[in-house]
Amino acid sequence: MKIIITGSAGFIGSALTLKCLDLGYEVVGIDNHNNYYDQSLKESRLLLKKKYSNYTHYRLDIIDYEGVSKLFKKHKPQRVVNMAAQAGVRYSIKNPMSYINSNLVGFANILEGCRNNNVEHLVYASSSSVYGANTTVPYSVKQNVDHPLSLYAATKKSNELMAHSYSHLYRMPTTGLRFFTVYGPWDRPDMALQKFANKIIKGDKIQVYNNGDHQRDFTYIDDIIEGVIRVLDQPVKPDPNWSSKDPDPSTSNAPWKIYNIGNNQPVKLESYINALENALSKKAIKEFLPIQPGDVLNTWANVDELVEHFDYQPNTSIEEGVERFVYWFKEYYKK
């Protein structure tokens, strides 16, 4: 099987690429290697794939319509996973147009590539941030998600709608996965775990927003990848029970579906920091601050449908996951 994975030098995209290569798939990776964070980390992730003869890498931005079109036409993939996106809730407040370009225009180019080349299944990254102002937890894919609190969240909800239109018009199978706070080795420097680890080691203050009271459904990277692989291998079909009079927002009479993918065990931010302190054998100096614009109070994934349809069982505890991250962090950064 040949798969195109966009964002293949990113945190989740790289981990997914390695898993697919180990499974024997032929993988074509796309990444623009932008300067949102230290490019050397992407280059290091890319080096992990050098030993694989079944991997081809392109330094290409998905907003390049002609470039994306040519690549799809050349490789004719059976499956596509779109992990490329401008990430980060807070950065979307400062630089909204980068989200419009990458997350909307870029995603449209991927949809067109799939449509014009008879791709069997498109799986794409959505986000728990789409739940926005919702306060009923655990978050369910049956809930309305029309009140995003950041442009990043709005672009992810837009991706789901765009995908639905293609599934409806062209009968193109598309599955959106709402990721819940992914963490682990090889994560981004702007994510909480790396920022906290750096400052704790240096003895600097860490900024703890919402006074550490909010909860996140922290999900270890390996558990995320396992879920993506299971979904990827089974192209979605139209739901024969879908009703236009009482529409289910997570499914359709088109080949389109949305799933939550998380640990289903929310953890307080304070507990997450405690696990990091224990793994580093050093206490953090904490500066408690109010909740930040664009942040949601709590996240908690209802993953019942993923369990029912794919026997998805995340099994990495926070303590184990953070310990694995710290081992990688110290090795990679020579701490």
Side-chain angles (χ1 to χ4, degrees), residues 5 22 32 53 93 95 104 106 110 146 150 157 161 191 200 215 223 230 241 255 271 279 285 309 332:
I5 298 177
D22 284 337
N32 67 356
S53 60
I93 299 171
N95 194 358
L104 297 184
I110 297 302
D146 287 338
S150 68
K157 170 62 187 290
L161 298 175
M191 298 175 79
I200 291 172
Q215 296 182 327
D223 291 333
R230 293 187 183 208
N241 299 315
S271 300
I285 304 169
H309 297 168
Y332 181 77

Side-chain angles (χ1 to χ4, degrees), residues 226-271:
E226 179 62 28
V228 176
I229 292 293
R230 293 187 183 208
V231 171
L232 180 65
D233 284 344
Q234 297 187 39
V236 63
K237 297 178 180 179
D239 181 358
N241 299 315
W242 190 84
S243 169
S244 59
K245 293 181 180 179
D246 184 22
D248 178 347
S250 72
T251 187
S252 177
N253 58 359
W256 176 92
K257 186 75 176 87
I258 299 294
Y259 290 102
N260 286 335
I261 181 165
N263 201 41
N264 192 225
Q265 293 184 5
V267 173
K268 272 198 168 186
L269 180 58
E270 274 282 312
S271 300

Side-chain angles (χ1 to χ4, degrees), residues 46-199:
L46 188 56
L47 285 174
L48 298 174
K49 306 169 187 69
K50 285 196 71 174
K51 67 177 182 179
Y52 294 94
S53 60
N54 50 332
Y55 183 68
T56 306
H57 190 75
Y58 289 85
R59 295 172 186 264
L60 176 68
D61 198 317
I62 61 171
I63 68 172
D64 177 358
Y65 177 76
E66 292 299 328
V68 170
S69 297
K70 289 178 182 178
L71 188 144
F72 269 77
K73 186 176 181 180
K74 176 180 179 180
H75 288 282
K76 297 288 185 182
Q78 285 83 47
R79 311 279 167 87
V80 174
V81 185
N82 186 64
M83 295 289 176
Q86 179 57 62
V89 169
R90 291 169 195 156
Y91 188 65
S92 69
I93 299 171
K94 300 177 182 177
N95 194 358
M97 288 309 300
S98 65
Y99 291 77
I100 299 299
N101 291 329
S102 293
N103 300 7
L104 297 184
V105 177
F107 188 63
N109 292 341
I110 297 302
L111 288 169
E112 278 291 276
C114 293
R115 174 176 80 93
N116 293 323
N117 294 276
N118 300 313
V119 168
E120 296 172 0
H121 194 195
L122 167 64
V123 175
Y124 59 94
S126 188
S127 168
S128 62
S129 66
V130 301
Y131 289 101
N134 290 15
T135 56
T136 300
V137 291
Y139 289 150
S140 167
V141 291
K142 308 297 185 184
Q143 294 178 17
N144 175 288
V145 289
D146 287 338
H147 299 89
L149 299 181
S150 68
L151 182 64
Y152 170 71
T155 62
K156 288 299 183 179
K157 170 62 187 290
S158 298
N159 287 170
E160 296 175 2
L161 298 175
M162 294 164 71
H164 185 274
S165 67
Y166 272 70
S167 293
H168 171 73
L169 292 170
Y170 310 113
R171 312 314 290 176
M172 187 175 86
T174 66
T175 303
L177 299 176
R178 293 174 179 169
F179 295 143
F180 278 70
T181 317
V182 189
Y183 75 98
W186 296 99
D187 72 349
R188 302 194 315 265
D190 64 310
M191 298 175 79
L193 210 51
Q194 274 211 49
K195 289 198 296 186
F196 287 165
N198 263 315
K199 290 186 176 182

